[in-house]
PDB file of all heavy atoms in Angstrom:
ATOM      1  N   GLY A  55      -5.250  -6.424   4.467  1.00 96.00           N
ATOM      2  CA  GLY A  55      -5.259  -7.870   4.251  1.00 96.00           C
ATOM      3  C   GLY A  55      -6.643  -8.477   4.156  1.00 96.00           C
ATOM      4  O   GLY A  55      -7.600  -7.831   3.723  1.00 96.00           O
ATOM      5  N   PHE A  56      -6.722  -9.711   4.586  1.00 97.00           N
ATOM      6  CA  PHE A  56      -7.937 -10.514   4.448  1.00 97.00           C
ATOM      7  C   PHE A  56      -8.277 -11.186   5.775  1.00 97.00           C
ATOM      8  O   PHE A  56      -7.401 -11.400   6.608  1.00 97.00           O
ATOM      9  CB  PHE A  56      -7.741 -11.570   3.353  1.00 97.00           C
ATOM     10  CG  PHE A  56      -7.414 -10.958   2.020  1.00 97.00           C
ATOM     11  CD1 PHE A  56      -6.106 -10.742   1.629  1.00 97.00           C
ATOM     12  CD2 PHE A  56      -8.425 -10.563   1.159  1.00 97.00           C
ATOM     13  CE1 PHE A  56      -5.796 -10.150   0.410  1.00 97.00           C
ATOM     14  CE2 PHE A  56      -8.137  -9.971  -0.059  1.00 97.00           C
ATOM     15  CZ  PHE A  56      -6.819  -9.763  -0.436  1.00 97.00           C
ATOM     16  N   THR A  57      -9.546 -11.508   5.941  1.00 98.00           N
ATOM     17  CA  THR A  57      -9.984 -12.162   7.177  1.00 98.00           C
ATOM     18  C   THR A  57     -10.296 -13.638   6.990  1.00 98.00           C
ATOM     19  O   THR A  57     -10.594 -14.336   7.960  1.00 98.00           O
ATOM     20  CB  THR A  57     -11.237 -11.471   7.745  1.00 98.00           C
ATOM     21  OG1 THR A  57     -12.300 -11.578   6.785  1.00 98.00           O
ATOM     22  CG2 THR A  57     -10.961 -10.018   8.060  1.00 98.00           C
ATOM     23  N   GLY A  58     -10.239 -14.116   5.762  1.00 98.00           N
ATOM     24  CA  GLY A  58     -10.544 -15.521   5.507  1.00 98.00           C
ATOM     25  C   GLY A  58     -10.829 -15.757   4.044  1.00 98.00           C
ATOM     26  O   GLY A  58     -10.559 -14.904   3.200  1.00 98.00           O
ATOM     27  N   SER A  59     -11.404 -16.920   3.758  1.00 98.00           N
ATOM     28  CA  SER A  59     -11.678 -17.326   2.379  1.00 98.00           C
ATOM     29  C   SER A  59     -12.961 -18.132   2.309  1.00 98.00           C
ATOM     30  O   SER A  59     -13.393 -18.724   3.303  1.00 98.00           O
ATOM     31  CB  SER A  59     -10.547 -18.209   1.845  1.00 98.00           C
ATOM     32  OG  SER A  59      -9.315 -17.556   1.880  1.00 98.00           O
ATOM     33  N   LEU A  60     -13.534 -18.175   1.115  1.00 98.00           N
ATOM     34  CA  LEU A  60     -14.701 -19.009   0.832  1.00 98.00           C
ATOM     35  C   LEU A  60     -14.425 -19.796  -0.437  1.00 98.00           C
ATOM     36  O   LEU A  60     -14.005 -19.228  -1.445  1.00 98.00           O
ATOM     37  CB  LEU A  60     -15.954 -18.151   0.639  1.00 98.00           C
ATOM     38  CG  LEU A  60     -17.194 -18.884   0.113  1.00 98.00           C
ATOM     39  CD1 LEU A  60     -17.694 -19.907   1.123  1.00 98.00           C
ATOM     40  CD2 LEU A  60     -18.282 -17.886  -0.242  1.00 98.00           C
ATOM     41  N   ILE A  61     -14.655 -21.092  -0.362  1.00 98.00           N
ATOM     42  CA  ILE A  61     -14.570 -21.967  -1.532  1.00 98.00           C
ATOM     43  C   ILE A  61     -15.864 -22.768  -1.579  1.00 98.00           C
ATOM     44  O   ILE A  61     -16.289 -23.316  -0.554  1.00 98.00           O
ATOM     45  CB  ILE A  61     -13.364 -22.933  -1.431  1.00 98.00           C
ATOM     46  CG1 ILE A  61     -12.054 -22.151  -1.400  1.00 98.00           C
ATOM     47  CG2 ILE A  61     -13.380 -23.951  -2.586  1.00 98.00           C
ATOM     48  CD1 ILE A  61     -10.841 -22.996  -1.031  1.00 98.00           C
ATOM     49  N   VAL A  62     -16.488 -22.822  -2.731  1.00 98.00           N
ATOM     50  CA  VAL A  62     -17.632 -23.705  -2.951  1.00 98.00           C
ATOM     51  C   VAL A  62     -17.219 -24.663  -4.056  1.00 98.00           C
ATOM     52  O   VAL A  62     -16.835 -24.236  -5.146  1.00 98.00           O
ATOM     53  CB  VAL A  62     -18.911 -22.938  -3.336  1.00 98.00           C
ATOM     54  CG1 VAL A  62     -20.056 -23.915  -3.618  1.00 98.00           C
ATOM     55  CG2 VAL A  62     -19.304 -21.950  -2.229  1.00 98.00           C
ATOM     56  N   ALA A  63     -17.264 -25.954  -3.729  1.00 98.00           N
ATOM     57  CA  ALA A  63     -16.820 -26.973  -4.680  1.00 98.00           C
ATOM     58  C   ALA A  63     -17.582 -28.262  -4.461  1.00 98.00           C
ATOM     59  O   ALA A  63     -18.192 -28.473  -3.408  1.00 98.00           O
ATOM     60  CB  ALA A  63     -15.316 -27.216  -4.527  1.00 98.00           C
ATOM     61  N   GLU A  64     -17.506 -29.117  -5.462  1.00 98.00           N
ATOM     62  CA  GLU A  64     -18.162 -30.419  -5.398  1.00 98.00           C
ATOM     63  C   GLU A  64     -17.163 -31.474  -4.936  1.00 98.00           C
ATOM     64  O   GLU A  64     -16.032 -31.526  -5.429  1.00 98.00           O
ATOM     65  CB  GLU A  64     -18.704 -30.787  -6.777  1.00 98.00           C
ATOM     66  CG  GLU A  64     -19.543 -32.045  -6.784  1.00 98.00           C
ATOM     67  CD  GLU A  64     -20.162 -32.308  -8.151  1.00 98.00           C
ATOM     68  OE1 GLU A  64     -20.168 -31.418  -9.012  1.00 98.00           O
ATOM     69  OE2 GLU A  64     -20.633 -33.445  -8.342  1.00 98.00           O
ATOM     70  N   PHE A  65     -17.607 -32.306  -3.993  1.00 98.00           N
ATOM     71  CA  PHE A  65     -16.815 -33.432  -3.499  1.00 98.00           C
ATOM     72  C   PHE A  65     -17.739 -34.629  -3.332  1.00 98.00           C
ATOM     73  O   PHE A  65     -18.946 -34.472  -3.143  1.00 98.00           O
ATOM     74  CB  PHE A  65     -16.177 -33.098  -2.143  1.00 98.00           C
ATOM     75  CG  PHE A  65     -15.103 -32.049  -2.210  1.00 98.00           C
ATOM     76  CD1 PHE A  65     -15.402 -30.715  -2.031  1.00 98.00           C
ATOM     77  CD2 PHE A  65     -13.787 -32.410  -2.456  1.00 98.00           C
ATOM     78  CE1 PHE A  65     -14.412 -29.738  -2.098  1.00 98.00           C
ATOM     79  CE2 PHE A  65     -12.793 -31.446  -2.529  1.00 98.00           C
ATOM     80  CZ  PHE A  65     -13.104 -30.114  -2.347  1.00 98.00           C
ATOM     81  N   PRO A  66     -17.189 -35.849  -3.362  1.00 97.00           N
ATOM     82  CA  PRO A  66     -18.020 -37.043  -3.184  1.00 97.00           C
ATOM     83  C   PRO A  66     -18.647 -37.169  -1.798  1.00 97.00           C
ATOM     84  O   PRO A  66     -19.672 -37.807  -1.646  1.00 97.00           O
ATOM     85  CB  PRO A  66     -17.051 -38.202  -3.437  1.00 97.00           C
ATOM     86  CG  PRO A  66     -15.948 -37.619  -4.248  1.00 97.00           C
ATOM     87  CD  PRO A  66     -15.833 -36.193  -3.795  1.00 97.00           C
ATOM     88  N   SER A  67     -18.022 -36.549  -0.766  1.00 98.00           N
ATOM     89  CA  SER A  67     -18.541 -36.672   0.593  1.00 98.00           C
ATOM     90  C   SER A  67     -18.037 -35.513   1.448  1.00 98.00           C
ATOM     91  O   SER A  67     -17.053 -34.843   1.106  1.00 98.00           O
ATOM     92  CB  SER A  67     -18.086 -37.989   1.222  1.00 98.00           C
ATOM     93  OG  SER A  67     -16.684 -37.962   1.461  1.00 98.00           O
ATOM     94  N   LEU A  68     -18.689 -35.310   2.579  1.00 98.00           N
ATOM     95  CA  LEU A  68     -18.262 -34.303   3.536  1.00 98.00           C
ATOM     96  C   LEU A  68     -16.852 -34.599   4.034  1.00 98.00           C
ATOM     97  O   LEU A  68     -16.027 -33.692   4.152  1.00 98.00           O
ATOM     98  CB  LEU A  68     -19.248 -34.254   4.708  1.00 98.00           C
ATOM     99  CG  LEU A  68     -18.916 -33.292   5.851  1.00 98.00           C
ATOM    100  CD1 LEU A  68     -18.819 -31.858   5.357  1.00 98.00           C
ATOM    101  CD2 LEU A  68     -19.949 -33.420   6.957  1.00 98.00           C
ATOM    102  N   GLU A  69     -16.563 -35.854   4.279  1.00 98.00           N
ATOM    103  CA  GLU A  69     -15.241 -36.232   4.771  1.00 98.00           C
ATOM    104  C   GLU A  69     -14.147 -35.881   3.766  1.00 98.00           C
ATOM    105  O   GLU A  69     -13.080 -35.402   4.152  1.00 98.00           O
ATOM    106  CB  GLU A  69     -15.195 -37.730   5.103  1.00 98.00           C
ATOM    107  CG  GLU A  69     -16.055 -38.141   6.278  1.00 98.00           C
ATOM    108  CD  GLU A  69     -17.548 -38.227   5.955  1.00 98.00           C
ATOM    109  OE1 GLU A  69     -17.942 -38.318   4.753  1.00 98.00           O
ATOM    110  OE2 GLU A  69     -18.344 -38.175   6.917  1.00 98.00           O
ATOM    111  N   MET A  70     -14.431 -36.085   2.486  1.00 98.00           N
ATOM    112  CA  MET A  70     -13.436 -35.754   1.464  1.00 98.00           C
ATOM    113  C   MET A  70     -13.267 -34.240   1.339  1.00 98.00           C
ATOM    114  O   MET A  70     -12.151 -33.747   1.158  1.00 98.00           O
ATOM    115  CB  MET A  70     -13.809 -36.382   0.128  1.00 98.00           C
ATOM    116  CG  MET A  70     -13.656 -37.900   0.159  1.00 98.00           C
ATOM    117  SD  MET A  70     -14.041 -38.651  -1.429  1.00 98.00           S
ATOM    118  CE  MET A  70     -12.497 -38.401  -2.272  1.00 98.00           C
ATOM    119  N   ALA A  71     -14.354 -33.497   1.475  1.00 98.00           N
ATOM    120  CA  ALA A  71     -14.263 -32.032   1.445  1.00 98.00           C
ATOM    121  C   ALA A  71     -13.449 -31.533   2.630  1.00 98.00           C
ATOM    122  O   ALA A  71     -12.601 -30.648   2.490  1.00 98.00           O
ATOM    123  CB  ALA A  71     -15.663 -31.422   1.452  1.00 98.00           C
ATOM    124  N   GLN A  72     -13.672 -32.113   3.806  1.00 98.00           N
ATOM    125  CA  GLN A  72     -12.920 -31.714   5.002  1.00 98.00           C
ATOM    126  C   GLN A  72     -11.437 -32.041   4.853  1.00 98.00           C
ATOM    127  O   GLN A  72     -10.575 -31.221   5.195  1.00 98.00           O
ATOM    128  CB  GLN A  72     -13.487 -32.399   6.245  1.00 98.00           C
ATOM    129  CG  GLN A  72     -14.828 -31.836   6.639  1.00 98.00           C
ATOM    130  CD  GLN A  72     -15.521 -32.640   7.722  1.00 98.00           C
ATOM    131  OE1 GLN A  72     -15.402 -33.862   7.789  1.00 98.00           O
ATOM    132  NE2 GLN A  72     -16.268 -31.950   8.564  1.00 98.00           N
TER     133      GLN A  72
END
Side-chain angles (χ1 to χ4, degrees):
F56 301 91
T57 61
S59 301
L60 170 65
I61 297 169
V62 177
E64 187 175 346
F65 291 92
S67 69
L68 177 59
E69 293 77 19
M70 290 182 82
Q72 288 170 326

